[in-house]
Every structure is written in C-alpha cells, then in structure tokens.
C-alpha cells in the first residue's frame, strides 16, 4: 500500500489467517482488495462469487478497471484475459495480443492461471516503455521462472516432491497434480504454521493418502506435530509423528516402494528444514 503500482493482481482468495483477515472468503477478499488503487487496473482470477463481488465493488468505488482472468478461447478485451491449455503448452490472450505456445518453468496447471495474471500485468508495462518484443519477453520470462519448493522433485525412486502449499485452496490445486503422477501409495509428510487450518488441508488429501507423517518446522510459529496428528486421526487417516522433517522424509523413503510418492507439504518452513544432503547420503 505504500507503492504506486502500474497494476495490481489478486490471484485467488481462500480461507487463510482467519484470525486476522476474517472467517469468510468475502471478509478476506475485502482485506485483499485494499491493494486496489484509484485508476490503476486490477487483474484477478478469483472464482469465488462472493469474494469476486467484494473485489468488484472496491474496484468501482475507486475507479479501477477490473480485468478478469478466465479459461477460454474467446477474444480478449479491456476487461478479460483468457488462457487455454494446449497439451504440453498453453496460450494467453490479453488486450496486448495473443501469446501462443507458451511454457512455464513451474509445473502445475494452476501455474497457467498465475502466468495469465502476470502476463496481463506486465504486457502494458512493456508496451508503455516502447519495448516492441513483448512476445519474446513474456515467453522467456515464463519459461525461466523457478521457485524451489513448488512441485519440486528431489528424488525419482521413490518420487519425492516438495510443495509449499499451506491452506485448503492450495491443497485443492496440489492434489490433482499429485494424483496424476501417482501409481502406487502416497506418503504425506505435513508440517504447518500457526494460523492455518490443518483440518481443511488434510480433508483434501484424506482419500488419496496411505500414510501421514506429521512433522514440524524449527520456526517458532510452527504448529505442533501433535496437533496435526490429532487432526489426522480424527478424520480417520493413518498417521504417525516424526518431529524432524528430514527424519520424516528418510522414514517415508525407507518404507516406500519405487512406484510410490513421498509428498512434503504444508509450509515452506518445513520444506526449508529438509536437509537434502542427508537424504542423498542415506
């Protein structure tokens, strides 16, 4: 709120930090909408109707052009950006033009939505600065983007994946990406931080998970592994506690077969505490 942006972006709204932001999507959307500035375009991929209406009202109040990001092949206009998945690549349509055959350095279908938001935000900036090769800038930027701990594979047999998803809406985006890779069992290693709802997260994975290893980060605002364990058992999951994240991964890898998946998730702090060097020498 202290900067003068060329655009603002609200990707999506889920229940998170409810003790601060509110306990409904609408209340959280109201707080998120505080970034919307007078006369500055706001790009959003919010799909919750109540949250979207809150954002629309705020945009109207301050005279901010609202640009929706949606899946489709329609012709884009001043108020719409469209994206379309095309097997191994995807297309994005903005008022600046169409971008075909794009690839993103970050895996996951949901990253296409993020890419559409980012492209819609940056394309006018490039044009306003007389940069003519907009297509090549967008193409190179999306292809080279990298974020450790976002659907990151650190071992192939068994498949060990790190992902910093930390709330229910992130879990809902993560699960399909894991399921389509799953040929055997799923070992879920989860550690979370205070302020996040473990029940909401675990229920997303409950039917697809064979074993949960509850762990915790070293960070002082970690959620105790015992709290995760109690929640997992309460919803009928096969759970155990391994407090150290690296030990949890080593235990899961030792029990897993080559066709199984070990997923470490729930917090970037937990992922940061996984000692990869110890895994490679185990």
């Amino acid at each position: 709120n202290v900067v003068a942006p060329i655009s603002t972006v609200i990707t999506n709204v889920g229940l998170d930090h409810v003790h601060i932001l509110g306990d409904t999507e609408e209340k959280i959307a109201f707080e998120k909408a505080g970034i919307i500035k007078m006369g500055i375009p706001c790009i959003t991929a919010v799909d919750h109707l109540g949250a979207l209406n809150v954002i629309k009202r705020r945009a109207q109040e301050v005279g901010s052009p609202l640009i929706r990001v949606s899946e489709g092949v329609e012709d884009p206009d001043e108020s719409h950006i469209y994206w379309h998945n095309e097997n191994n690549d995807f297309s994005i349509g903005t008022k600046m033009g169409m971008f075909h055959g794009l690839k993103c350095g970050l895996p996951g279908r949901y990253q296409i939505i993020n890419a559409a938001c980012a492209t819609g935000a940056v394309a006018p900036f490039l044009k306003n600065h007389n940069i003519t090769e907009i297509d090549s800038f967008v193409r190179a930027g999306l292809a080279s983007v990298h974020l450790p701990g976002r659907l990151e594979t650190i071992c192939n047999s068994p498949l060990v994946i790190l992902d910093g998803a930390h709330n229910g809406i992130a879990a809902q985006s993560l699960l399909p990406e894991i399921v389509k890779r799953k040929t055997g069992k799923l070992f879920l290693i989860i550690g979370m931080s205070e302020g996040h709802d473990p029940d909401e997260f675990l229920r997303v994975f409950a039917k697809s998970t064979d074993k949960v290893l509850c762990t915790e980060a070293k960070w002082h605002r970690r959620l105790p592994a015992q709290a995760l364990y109690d929640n997992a058992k309460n919803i009928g999951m096969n759970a155990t506690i391994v407090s150290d994240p690296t030990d949890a991964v080593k235990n899961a890898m030792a029990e897993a077969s080559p066709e199984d998946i070990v997923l470490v998730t729930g917090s970037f702090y937990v992922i940061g505490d996984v000692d990869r060097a110890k895994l490679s020498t185990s």
Side-chain angles (χ1 to χ4, degrees):
N1 278 333
V2 299
V3 300
I6 59 167
S7 63
T8 60
V9 178
I10 303 174
T11 52
N12 213 337
V13 172
L15 294 176
D16 202 8
H17 298 291
V18 294
H19 61 297
I20 298 174
L21 300 178
D23 57 1
T24 67
E25 283 85 352
E26 288 82 359
K27 290 178 181 178
I28 293 175
F30 176 81
E31 300 297 336
K32 300 289 187 183
I35 69 169
I36 299 175
K37 302 292 191 297
M38 184 177 296
I40 303 299
C42 175
I43 298 166
T44 184
V46 168
D47 54 12
H48 184 279
L49 183 58
L52 179 60
N53 286 335
V54 171
I55 292 170
K56 284 182 176 179
R57 284 197 298 271
R58 178 58 181 168
Q60 291 171 354
E61 288 171 359
V62 300
S64 167
L66 187 65
I67 304 171
R68 296 281 311 282
V69 174
S70 308
E71 182 177 10
V73 293
E74 294 90 339
D75 291 331
D77 54 36
E78 295 291 324
S79 59
H80 289 91
I81 294 170
Y82 293 104
W83 62 270
H84 179 62
N85 198 4
E86 301 166 339
N87 296 321
N88 294 324
D89 51 33
F90 58 95
S91 295
I92 296 173
T94 77
K95 66 178 181 178
M96 297 288 102
M98 295 294 300
F99 302 89
H100 294 288
L102 299 172
K103 295 185 183 298
C104 185
L106 293 175
R109 184 176 183 271
Y110 55 88
Q111 295 296 355
I112 300 176
I113 303 172
N114 293 335
C117 290
T119 300
V122 76
F125 171 83
L126 296 173
K127 183 177 181 180
N128 292 340
H129 284 71
N130 298 317
I131 297 174
T132 57
E133 298 298 323
I134 296 177
D135 184 89
S136 60
F137 271 82
V138 169
R139 194 172 302 278
L142 294 179
S144 62
V145 66
H146 174 66
L147 178 62
R150 183 61 80 201
L151 271 180
E152 180 185 6
T153 298
I154 62 171
C155 181
N156 289 304
S157 182
L159 188 62
V160 180
I161 299 175
L162 310 180
D163 192 276
H166 60 274
N167 57 22
I169 194 170
Q172 290 169 16
S173 294
L174 175 60
L175 179 60
E177 298 299 327
I178 300 302
V179 169
K180 71 182 183 183
R181 294 165 169 80
K182 187 173 181 282
T183 58
K185 295 180 179 179
L186 173 59
F187 292 81
L188 178 67
I189 298 174
I190 184 168
M192 301 185 74
S193 301
E194 292 177 352
H196 302 297
D197 185 357
D199 185 74
E200 183 185 40
F201 194 106
L202 287 168
R203 285 187 183 276
V204 173
F205 276 88
K207 293 182 179 180
S208 303
T209 300
D210 296 277
K211 185 173 184 178
V212 184
L213 290 82
C214 302
T215 189
E216 57 189 48
K218 297 182 178 68
W219 191 44
H220 69 282
R221 287 187 58 196
R222 65 188 178 274
L223 193 66
Q226 183 68 50
L228 287 162
Y229 173 83
D230 293 342
N231 201 292
K233 295 297 285 187
N234 185 55
I235 59 177
M237 301 181 79
N238 175 24
T240 188
I241 295 176
V242 183
S243 295
D244 180 77
T246 303
D247 287 343
V249 178
K250 291 171 69 175
N251 288 5
M253 291 178 68
E255 186 175 345
S257 299
E259 66 273 14
D260 295 339
I261 294 179
V262 176
L263 171 63
V264 188
T265 187
S267 167
F268 276 107
Y269 291 99
V270 165
I271 287 173
D273 284 344
V274 174
D275 191 329
R276 304 181 189 206
K278 289 184 178 179
L279 296 180
S280 63
T281 58
S282 61

